[in-house]
Amino acid sequence: MSRTIYFDNNATTQVAPEVTEAMLPFFTTYWGNPSSMHTFGGQVAKYVDKAREQVAALFNAKPSEIIFTSCGTESDNTAIWTALQTNPTKKHIVTTSVEHSAILQTAAFWERNGYRVTRLGVDEKGRLDMDEYAAALTPDTAIVSIMYANNEVGNIYPIPQMAEMAKERGILFHTDAVQAAGKVDIDLAKVPVDMLSISGHKLHAPKGVGMLFVRKGLIFRPFIRGGHQEAGRRAGTENVPYIVGLGTACDLARAHMEEENVRVAALRDRLEEGITANVPDCLVNGDREHRLPGTTNIAFRNIEGEAVLLMLDRLGICASSGSACTSGSLEPSHVLSAMKVPFKYAHSSTRFSLCRYNTQEEVDFAIENIPAVIKTLRELSPFKD
Amino acid sequence: MWNYSQKVQDFFLKPHNAGPLEDANAIGEVGSLACGDALKLYLKIDDKGVIQKASFETFGCASAIASSSILTDMVIGMHVDDALKITNADIANALDGLPREKMHCSVMGQEALEAAIRQWRGEPALPKTQEEGKLVCKCFNVTDLTIIKAIRENHLTTVDDITAFTKAGGACGSCRDEIAEILETELKRMNGELPDAAPAKSEARPEAAAKPQVTFGATPSMLTNLERMQKVMTAMQLIRPQLQADGGDVRLVDINGKTVTVELTGHCVGCPASKATLHQVIEQILRMQVEPDIVVKEAGD
Ligand SMILES: Cc1ncc(COP(=O)(O)O)c(C=O)c1O
Ligand code: FES
């Protein structure tokens, strides 16, 4: 296989060369502990501070509102934890049926421990219903957690509006912005969320670093205890190189977001139109009006997703699937199930997620080759109608 | 791909015997779109019972396609009596093994083969375990006998094993307790702690026991109410296994003149798309089998 066409950027992204370069000195030269009294260690702290400023700038937040974590999942767990710990009398959590498992499983854990959980449904395009949302908010609600953008179909949810509705009722609002970070312009001076999670590896920083924004003034209980780091809000010696990498990645995103979004969306549209025009009986899952620039989720009638992915892999194309066979479970993804994608389509839903490093040539190669893959698999299928 | 043996990859990328077989005289169909994989196996069997030709159509992942394809290679030239001795393990072994969570693909192959041969013999085109067993997993239409067979032939010891081999328990999970009970009993039997009795026949699905003989094509003549009711009931017995194969089921609620009221249950209830299709399918069959102007209504409509 000579080349790799990477259309799986919602799963993880390539570390930007600028990011790698910024990180390297913190392995080779500045490997001290930022908490040390001596100059050798202590000098490292200012680079952590700089990264904090870079991350804050991407969201128009204050550096003191940024807590570095080990991943998006930790940020999500922390947000729910602190909300429940600081509101001990409230026993209700509101979330959606299409969250990432980092939120879904955490909510399910609290449900087993005596909390009531409302999971908002979605329509066939994966959209939330604002009336259902409003009705779910009660005086007993400790926290609302709703993703900014969905990882499988790319839908962007109306977080500014939904956060406002929670605020009016005095309810804490958290958003998992792991997929939105660096792709959606989020101004936290205007969007009244209390907490927001991001993950490094979805925006060209490495895996294993994340961030939780906690709005100034919010009472906070740490999820990981032990040390004074991150102003006592997240114990554990800072992962300095990765934090520096996340800072650089946020800096790059801020500088290029506008231009990149236009370019990436054009490539995505070209891919989507190229496939849907040349493959009969396919449909695009999700809300095409409110969607991440790089994501398209296409379902092909009467075939199964793992087979599609493996055939694409032979061509060097990396994509992913909500099919049962690839998720290690036997059912199609919870997102497609919540959207009630017809079962003739649900098993073959294939996600292509593009980024700044993709090219038109790659997209054209995919458009040229994908129709034949689908045709071959359909010839093998007993279902023809 | 990379969990798969070279053989699985080869048979997935260049499958032998793919596509329908024009002169097939035995067809076995198992699985469904709703369940995520399905296999249609075509056989041409000669008068002496030797399989002359075999081909397949598969909806499913790479291992499902490879299992189906290698199975066709295995059975060509075989007598049906020998073909019936093929186990799912034989299919998996022929592929140099399958990942454990994909073993159900080999089970699907074995079941389709059995269903095809039974059809050729004039028996119901279902694996015996499915015809005679009691439904345990509604999501994937798996019976107790299918589970017991998988336990015995593959020496399974956990509920997760059973899910990997039969899919039972892999969706809503509501049947997992029952699977655990079956497993416990079976393990005791195998250890000699319980007599090795076949599971009670009385638990068999009633519609399987009283297999009705139905002539195809609706009679245009006037039917009395009683005749119509009998015909509807007989036809429903034919429809149910088909729906059950899709993880669903249907219950006859009422017959009022030419209006038949049914209730859809099982896996497909929550899914409006499949519900609409099922409604049509049932109406179509009743119109064919009973009277051309039958109207099907859903309870609660
Ligand atoms: C929406 C969403 N939330 C959370 C995560 C988890 O992030 P991490 O892998 O950093 O734990 C992911 C990605 O896997 C995601 O897509
Ligand atoms: S009934 Fe078996 S998994 Fe749902």
Side-chain angles (χ1 to χ4, degrees):
Chain A
M1 213 181 307
S2 52
R3 66 167 177 185
T4 299
I5 298 180
Y6 191 76
F7 288 162
D8 202 10
N9 288 281
N10 288 11
T12 197
T13 59
Q14 177 189 341
V15 177
E18 297 91 328
V19 169
T20 313
E21 203 184 318
M23 288 171 65
L24 284 177
F26 297 90
F27 291 105
T28 54
T29 315
Y30 303 110
W31 45 262
N33 186 330
S35 301
S36 295
M37 286 307 291
H38 46 72
T39 311
F40 177 70
Q43 65 179 347
V44 172
K46 65 174 179 285
Y47 297 99
V48 174
D49 291 343
K50 181 177 166 215
R52 204 181 301 284
E53 284 163 18
Q54 289 171 317
V55 175
L58 176 59
F59 301 100
N60 194 17
K62 300 178 185 68
S64 62
E65 294 173 319
I66 304 299
I67 302 175
F68 290 114
T69 65
S70 70
C71 59
T73 303
E74 185 195 321
S75 301
D76 286 347
N77 271 273
T78 306
I80 307 246
W81 165 268
T82 182
L84 301 186
Q85 295 299 313
T86 55
N87 291 279
T89 58
K90 299 183 176 180
K91 297 289 177 198
H92 179 219
I93 300 169
V94 174
T95 183
T96 75
S97 50
V98 294
E99 296 299 308
H100 188 268
S101 54
I103 288 292
L104 279 186
Q105 301 281 340
T106 305
F109 168 80
W110 288 113
E111 195 172 37
R112 289 194 297 279
N113 284 277
Y115 283 79
R116 198 162 61 79
V117 176
T118 302
R119 297 171 182 81
L120 303 174
V122 292
D123 68 7
E124 76 293 344
K125 290 191 169 164
R127 292 174 300 201
L128 296 166
D129 175 8
M130 289 305 117
D131 293 335
E132 186 189 354
Y133 172 55
L137 301 174
T138 69
D140 191 40
T141 308
I143 184 166
V144 177
S145 178
I146 296 178
M147 61 194 344
Y148 220 116
N150 179 269
N151 44 310
E152 285 191 37
V153 293
N155 283 10
I156 297 173
Y157 291 112
I159 296 303
Q161 182 193 348
M162 297 179 91
E164 193 63 54
M165 288 164 70
K167 191 180 169 190
E168 282 162 10
R169 293 163 175 80
I171 300 170
L172 288 183
F173 191 99
H174 164 255
T175 182
D176 174 340
V178 166
Q179 293 293 345
K183 300 168 203 158
V184 179
D185 186 10
I186 302 173
D187 180 349
L188 289 176
K190 298 209 182 96
V191 180
V193 303
D194 296 291
M195 291 180 277
L196 171 145
S197 305
I198 76 165
S199 170
H201 70 110
K202 312 284 180 173
L203 77 161
H204 305 290
K207 297 152 196 68
V209 62
M211 181 280 281
L212 178 67
F213 159 87
V214 178
R215 192 171 292 281
K216 194 169 173 214
L218 194 72
I219 311 168
F220 183 85
R221 290 276 161 79
F223 179 61
I224 294 188
R225 291 156 193 281
H228 61 275
Q229 293 90 350
E230 300 296 292
R233 295 172 301 178
R234 199 278 187 182
T237 301
E238 298 86 341
N239 187 352
V240 177
Y242 281 57
I243 289 172
V244 168
L246 181 59
T248 309
C250 286
D251 215 28
L252 288 171
R254 191 171 54 87
H256 304 293
M257 179 160 24
E258 220 170 302
E259 170 268 325
E260 258 166 26
N261 278 354
V262 174
R263 189 159 47 85
V264 172
L267 287 179
R268 186 272 316 271
D269 291 345
R270 186 181 178 92
L271 178 67
E272 186 172 278
E273 278 154 28
I275 293 174
T276 51
N278 292 300
V279 178
D281 294 322
C282 53
L283 61 87
V284 175
N285 292 318
D287 178 4
R288 293 167 86 165
E289 265 83 64
H290 305 95
R291 200 166 44 155
L292 292 172
T295 307
T296 176
N297 185 307
I298 305 178
F300 305 100
R301 194 176 169 101
N302 287 341
I303 54 177
E304 198 283 324
E306 187 208 79
V308 175
L309 290 194
L310 294 183
M311 291 270 189
L312 293 182
D313 187 80
R314 299 283 299 178
L315 297 166
I317 300 173
C318 311
S320 68
S321 169
S323 106
C325 285
T326 56
S327 62
S329 89
L330 291 168
E331 283 202 295
S333 90
H334 67 278
V335 176
L336 302 174
S337 303
M339 290 166 58
K340 303 195 171 61
V341 173
F343 58 70
K344 277 176 179 291
Y345 288 96
H347 288 283
S348 70
S349 293
T350 306
R351 178 186 74 190
F352 302 91
S353 45
L354 281 60
C355 77
R356 65 169 83 121
Y357 298 118
N358 290 120
T359 63
Q360 182 167 326
E361 192 208 341
E362 291 176 329
V363 166
D364 289 345
F365 177 84
I367 297 172
E368 253 162 60
N369 287 280
I370 288 174
V373 166
I374 305 303
K375 186 157 178 279
T376 307
L377 289 173
R378 283 197 175 141
E379 278 164 9
L380 286 177
S381 173
F383 305 110
K384 307 293 185 196
D385 59 334
Chain B
M1 187 152 263
W2 312 230
N3 275 335
Y4 288 134
S5 69
Q6 190 58 44
K7 231 167 176 171
V8 173
Q9 297 185 37
D10 292 346
F11 273 83
F12 164 58
L13 292 168
K14 295 208 167 48
H16 304 173
N17 311 315
L21 190 64
E22 298 281 295
D23 54 348
N25 57 359
I27 296 179
E29 282 184 82
V30 293
S32 81
L33 262 171
C35 295
D37 47 20
L39 162 58
K40 190 166 182 181
L41 184 72
Y42 300 83
L43 302 177
K44 167 89 171 91
I45 305 173
D46 70 13
D47 302 343
K48 298 193 193 71
V50 176
I51 299 170
Q52 297 291 343
K53 295 185 201 166
S55 78
F56 76 95
E57 290 176 299
T58 294
F59 162 80
C61 51
S63 52
I65 291 171
S67 299
S68 319
S69 178
I70 205 158
L71 174 66
T72 57
D73 271 2
M74 288 163 75
V75 299
I76 293 173
M78 243 187 202
H79 191 276
V80 289
D81 292 343
D82 296 321
L84 281 176
K85 291 184 193 135
I86 292 177
T87 64
N88 74 282
D90 295 334
I91 300 173
N93 289 338
L95 288 167
D96 297 334
L98 280 173
R100 201 156 181 84
E101 69 278 9
K102 299 286 188 176
M103 283 303 285
H104 60 86
C105 298
S106 65
V107 172
M108 183 168 79
Q110 188 280 326
E111 289 191 330
L113 176 63
E114 189 186 331
I117 294 174
R118 288 181 49 141
Q119 191 218 34
W120 177 75
R121 286 178 168 168
E123 296 164 32
L126 281 175
K128 216 175 166 69
T129 52
Q130 223 182 77
E131 184 200 359
E132 294 179 359
K134 168 173 153 281
L135 189 63
V136 174
C137 178
K138 292 196 190 68
C139 291
F140 291 113
N141 188 37
V142 184
T143 67
D144 57 347
L145 294 184
T146 305
I147 292 169
I148 290 169
K149 181 166 178 229
I151 295 173
R152 290 190 178 179
E153 288 184 357
N154 300 285
H155 312 288
L156 307 183
T157 55
T158 67
V159 174
D160 285 345
D161 278 347
I162 293 173
T163 305
F165 278 71
T166 66
K167 298 177 93 169
C172 74
S174 68
C175 57
R176 288 177 70 90
D177 286 346
E178 201 176 341
I179 297 174
E181 274 169 37
I182 295 172
L183 178 65
E184 201 177 321
T185 314
E186 233 8 69
L187 292 178
K188 280 188 186 151
R189 276 209 186 100
M190 285 171 1
N191 287 337
E193 291 165 38
L194 278 175
D196 190 6
K201 261 280 159 54
S202 58
E203 288 179 9
R205 283 187 293 191
E207 70 269 30
K211 203 83 202 170
Q213 196 56 48
V214 177
T215 42
F216 279 79
T219 353
S221 65
M222 295 284 287
L223 295 174
T224 67
N225 269 337
L226 199 63
E227 282 169 339
R228 186 182 302 116
M229 270 155 84
Q230 276 169 344
K231 282 195 164 231
V232 168
M233 274 151 70
T234 320
M236 290 299 286
Q237 301 301 346
L238 273 187
I239 293 169
R240 289 191 60 203
Q242 292 185 31
L243 295 193
Q244 285 162 350
D246 265 342
D249 205 345
V250 62
R251 196 169 66 84
L252 190 56
V253 177
D254 191 19
I255 307 175
N256 187 355
K258 294 189 178 179
T259 304
V260 178
T261 309
V262 298
E263 184 187 26
L264 294 169
T265 56
H267 191 39
C268 309
V269 165
C271 171
S274 66
K275 216 165 163 165
T277 343
L278 287 184
H279 188 125
Q280 278 169 20
V281 170
I282 296 167
E283 192 163 78
Q284 233 170 20
I285 296 179
L286 290 183
R287 284 179 177 182
M288 232 167 69
Q289 301 270 337
V290 187
E291 265 174 316
D293 46 356
I294 290 271
V295 176
V296 171
K297 270 183 56 182
E298 260 178 73
D301 267 9

